[in-house]
Amino acid sequence: MSKGEIVTESAVRFERSLSGPVERVWEFLTEASRLPEWYGEGRIEPGEGGAVTLLGGHIRGVVTIWRPLQALGYTWNVLAPGETVSAWPVSYLEFALAPDGDGVKLTLTHRPIPEAMQKQTAMGWHTFLDLAEAGLDGQFPKRAELFVQNAALYGVDMQKIQR
């Protein structure tokens, strides 16, 4: 029998203050039609065990946490067209919501993130939060424009994006 080992894994974590109320922020997290520039063609089925299909099936997962107005979590699997099994390890995405004055504090945590994907993942979630913040304020910028801006922030070469 071999002894177990402690494994350190990386995560990406963001905290962002957003315009409230919390009900509206929850809608932006759970209804794909609210953020079409991020979720694309997709759906998050309500409730634990619900299917997650985003960007026309590029992202697939299962809801693991469903506490309306408080927390949402789901597995995150990246699949290329035609794949049924991801080349990347499954990861876990969690959103926590808390009152923040007149707004809402959103904490986003995505783990584990392979070393080769850390900067790209941070850039992606920064872009998601920018889209959500703008959408809550009634603005709808294009994801591609924000990607370019955030790629520079994180040192990501947009010509070498891993899928």
Side-chain angles (χ1 to χ4, degrees):
M1 174 189 274
S2 64
K3 183 179 175 184
E5 63 182 290
I6 304 298
V7 177
T8 302
E9 295 182 317
S10 296
V12 173
R13 183 171 186 227
F14 287 90
E15 289 184 356
R16 179 89 55 113
S17 293
L18 301 171
S19 301
V22 70
E23 292 83 1
R24 193 153 173 258
V25 174
W26 180 257
E27 288 173 6
F28 271 76
L29 295 178
T30 60
E31 296 176 18
S33 63
R34 293 295 210 159
L35 286 174
E37 278 292 313
W38 183 262
Y39 291 130
E41 180 185 326
R43 182 159 196 255
I44 299 171
E45 292 180 355
E48 290 180 9
V52 176
T53 305
L54 306 173
L55 297 171
H58 177 59
I59 304 298
R60 295 182 217 157
V62 176
V63 175
T64 57
I65 302 168
W66 186 272
R67 291 194 309 268
L69 311 182
Q70 297 174 3
L72 169 67
Y74 47 88
T75 60
W76 184 269
N77 295 286
V78 179
L79 293 106
E83 280 186 334
T84 56
V85 176
S86 177
W88 298 99
V90 66
S91 58
Y92 301 87
L93 180 61
E94 296 176 10
F95 299 96
L97 302 175
D100 185 29
D102 291 337
V104 177
K105 181 175 95 173
L106 182 145
T107 302
L108 179 158
T109 307
H110 188 172
R111 69 172 81 79
I113 305 300
E115 186 174 349
M117 297 292 290
Q118 290 172 0
K119 290 180 181 181
Q120 183 176 319
T121 300
M123 175 203 70
W125 288 119
H126 193 123
T127 299
F128 165 81
L129 292 169
D130 288 349
L131 288 166
E133 186 171 18
L136 287 161
D137 292 337
Q139 302 168 5
F140 297 93
K142 296 294 181 189
R143 177 173 68 171
E145 294 168 6
L146 293 173
F147 267 161
V148 170
Q149 172 186 313
N150 291 329
L153 182 65
Y154 289 95
V156 173
D157 183 345
M158 290 298 290
Q159 302 303 314
K160 295 181 181 176
I161 293 290
Q162 296 188 44
R163 306 219 182 255

